[in-house]
Amino acid sequence: FFATAEGALGPIDIVVNNAGIGVPGRIHELSIHEIESELATNLLGSMLITRRALPSMIERRSGDVLFISSMNSVSPRPFQAGYTAAKAGVEGFAAALRMDLEGTGVRAITLRLGPTRSEFGYSWNTDTMVQVLESWQRWGFLRHHDMLDSAQVAHAVIAAVTAPRGMQLDVIQVNPE
């Protein structure tokens, strides 16, 4: 992927680590495969993509690596223990990376998103979805039904990467109004 992209477009300037899956369920009810898939996609994938992109960015002393995180990382929700752990791991990875990259000209930025309208829960069966939403409501996570849409998330990404160089942006929290 990287070789093809760099061959067609030149060096990578921006990486947006946005892959994410959520497998709803209580941890003791999930299969090992489901847990591994969630962690591999949400955490390990971001680490490996970042690892591949950094050498060129560091060599050129310029670049942005964005991590799409979730409010779950600081406000865990029931039925999402694996997702929450993975996103907390992403935030920890990004924080350590910021220290490792200091002085290189490369920024590691975390966008911590609130409720977002996406295909995230489309694969969940209806009974599971109802059970999850009822538990979230019981725990106070459904104050309203507003959600960020993809255009709003894209604007947040653009705002982050167009911030003046020489500024380190750490965690930007983005929620629906």
Side-chain angles (χ1 to χ4, degrees):
F1 168 80
F2 273 91
T4 301
E6 290 168 333
L9 304 170
I12 303 294
D13 296 313
I14 300 167
V15 170
V16 180
N17 286 299
N18 188 45
I21 62 169
V23 181
R26 295 178 180 101
I27 196 73
H28 61 280
E29 297 169 343
L30 298 175
S31 71
I32 292 171
H33 173 74
E34 289 171 319
I35 295 166
E36 289 175 340
S37 294
E38 202 166 32
L39 292 174
T41 301
N42 295 324
L43 177 57
L44 187 58
S46 291
M47 294 174 80
L48 295 177
I49 292 290
T50 299
R51 179 183 180 274
R52 172 57 177 82
L54 282 178
S56 173
M57 290 178 171
I58 292 169
E59 182 180 313
R60 290 179 288 112
R61 301 194 55 76
S62 180
D64 287 307
V65 182
L66 272 78
F67 297 90
I68 303 299
S69 185
S70 168
M71 285 298 297
N72 280 49
S73 65
V74 294
S75 184
R77 286 155 176 73
F79 292 91
Q80 289 196 309
Y83 180 76
T84 297
K87 289 302 184 177
V90 165
E91 290 202 21
F93 173 61
L97 188 61
R98 277 190 284 282
M99 291 183 275
D100 289 343
L101 293 175
E102 186 173 348
T104 67
V106 180
R107 300 185 293 194
I109 305 166
T110 301
L111 295 181
R112 182 186 295 147
L113 303 181
T116 304
R117 188 176 299 109
S118 72
E119 72 284 352
F120 184 82
Y122 287 1
S123 65
W124 300 0
N125 72 50
T126 303
D127 291 340
T128 300
M129 179 69 79
V130 168
Q131 187 178 22
V132 168
L133 292 176
E134 285 175 352
S135 75
W136 290 359
Q137 187 169 22
R138 189 170 55 254
W139 283 94
F141 293 115
L142 294 177
R143 293 182 311 122
H144 53 71
H145 294 289
D146 291 339
M147 299 180 115
L148 297 167
D149 62 30
S150 58
Q152 291 169 311
V153 174
H155 285 295
V157 168
I158 291 167
V161 301
T162 58
R165 302 310 298 176
M167 288 175 46
Q168 175 57 59
L169 307 173
D170 293 339
V171 177
I172 302 169
Q173 195 161 295
V174 183
N175 281 295
E177 187 174 353

